[in-house]
Amino acid sequence: MERHELVKLMSKPMWRSFQAAEDEALREVRQENGKLYAETEQAQIQWRKDHATEYEKVNLEHDAQMALIKRQMQALYDAQQEIKDQRKKAEDDLWNQCWESMQPLRDAQKERADAISKKWKEIAAEILAKYEAKVLAKKELVSN
């Protein structure tokens, strides 16, 4: 079943818990992938160190330092992305709370609009009835 079909079938609280579970699973996968990548990279560097000349060892040490910096930058980026995701979720939650808190006001406005519409229909019906009565009165005068 596709995501948009799930959205249609789920209630709002159910959908939110589904989204939270999905977000948590993505975070875990990202962390696990990061760990596996770092382990693989370290193993490659260690193998090259074990089989390298002195000059190559200096280059490998530099590569190791650069790889560490790269991982730290990736961790920083992931943290920034996590903060951005949390901010977006908080904004969405706030918007939903505002929307839900405004529901009574929207209902009251709809009731008021319905009452005004009903009143205008009654007035229009009265005017139409008076007009029809005048037309009938004129027809009776003309026929007599």
Side-chain angles (χ1 to χ4, degrees), residues 72-82:
Q72 289 173 340
M73 288 174 65
Q74 184 62 44
L76 178 62
Y77 174 78
D78 291 343
Q80 288 173 335
Q81 193 63 37
E82 180 69 24

Side-chain angles (χ1 to χ4, degrees), residues 9-120:
L9 294 176
M10 292 182 169
S11 66
K12 220 175 212 180
M14 184 187 277
W15 175 246
R16 286 184 187 149
S17 65
F18 174 77
Q19 274 184 316
E22 187 179 47
D23 291 344
E24 183 62 30
L26 283 174
R27 272 192 292 281
E28 289 173 6
V29 167
R30 283 185 195 143
Q31 287 175 348
E32 187 63 29
N33 284 346
K35 289 176 187 174
L36 291 174
Y37 180 77
E39 289 172 5
T40 304
E41 194 173 43
Q42 286 296 78
Q44 288 174 344
I45 291 171
Q46 188 60 45
W47 184 88
R48 288 182 5 216
K49 274 185 182 178
D50 294 344
H51 299 86
T53 66
E54 194 61 37
Y55 175 76
E56 290 171 330
K57 286 182 180 180
V58 170
N59 284 339
L60 289 173
E61 188 60 36
H62 178 263
D63 290 347
Q65 289 174 354
M66 292 304 290
L68 176 64
I69 291 170
K70 184 179 175 183
R71 281 194 307 277
Q72 289 173 340
M73 288 174 65
Q74 184 62 44
L76 178 62
Y77 174 78
D78 291 343
Q80 288 173 335
Q81 193 63 37
E82 180 69 24
I83 290 169
K84 187 188 250 184
D85 293 345
Q86 289 174 355
R87 182 180 298 144
K88 175 72 173 134
K89 185 181 182 310
E91 287 173 0
D92 289 347
D93 289 346
L94 183 60
W95 173 252
N96 289 334
Q97 288 174 358
C98 289
W99 182 258
E100 290 169 6
S101 69
M102 296 294 286
Q103 188 61 42
L105 180 59
R106 287 192 302 277
D107 291 343
Q109 286 175 334
K110 184 175 180 344
E111 288 174 13
R112 185 167 182 254
D114 290 345
I116 290 170
S117 176
K118 183 179 176 184
K119 186 66 175 175
W120 277 109

